[in-house]
Amino acid sequence: MRIRSVVAAVVALVCAVAFAQNAFAQNPVGVWKMNPAKSTFSGAAPTSSTVTTTAASKGSFKTIIDSVPATGAASRSEVTYMFDGKDNPVKGNPNADTLSYTKGADANHWTLVGKKGGKVMITTQVVKAADGKSFAATQTGIDAQGIKVNNMIWLDKQ
């Protein structure tokens, strides 16, 4: 009987760890900094960008992006979301008032869709490196000023 209890506890622990790894792999929790040498932008590149993602309540995530554009003042955007494809309000993003997140083919791929006034503006395809130490975010679409966006942002885990 005691062996069954130990086996059941180990199985439960393994399942919990596997679930947590899958959930966190979909959107890496941690601090990520843009690598300007590996990034490309269709317009002026920001001088810096830091993405901080934390686990929030009930399986959701909170992401804060602090950026310093090539010109202008520093900016901060915030969104709390789940990987369910639903629109979530975003604060501080000039190109979107909502973001939706969906899972990709595996835990290393996901998609963000930014909308402004219900219109799709910028779609971001995210691919996390197999070693979990970096990811690439490819953005396509049109920004709030109507300018075509085609960026590849490389971020390294800090």
Side-chain angles (χ1 to χ4, degrees), residues 4-119:
R4 284 187 198 170
S5 296
V6 170
V7 169
V10 169
V11 169
L13 179 62
V14 168
C15 290
V17 168
F19 172 77
Q21 285 177 336
N22 184 43
F24 289 117
Q26 208 69 47
N27 189 349
V29 169
V31 177
W32 305 82
K33 289 197 182 224
M34 178 187 72
N35 183 330
K38 292 183 177 182
S39 300
T40 58
F41 292 85
S42 54
T47 58
S48 70
S49 187
T50 302
V51 177
T52 303
T53 301
T54 56
S57 65
K58 299 180 183 178
S60 65
F61 299 91
K62 181 176 185 175
T63 294
I64 298 173
I65 301 174
D66 290 302
S67 293
V68 178
T71 59
S75 67
R76 172 177 271 207
S77 66
E78 295 182 34
V79 63
T80 301
Y81 58 92
M82 295 179 80
F83 287 95
D84 58 6
K86 294 180 182 176
D87 290 341
N88 302 280
V90 60
K91 294 186 281 185
N93 185 332
N95 299 311
D97 47 34
T98 66
L99 288 172
S100 64
Y101 290 70
T102 55
K103 296 177 182 180
D106 60 36
N108 292 329
H109 295 81
W110 60 94
T111 302
L112 290 75
V113 176
K115 296 178 185 175
K116 191 156 187 90
K119 178 184 175 190

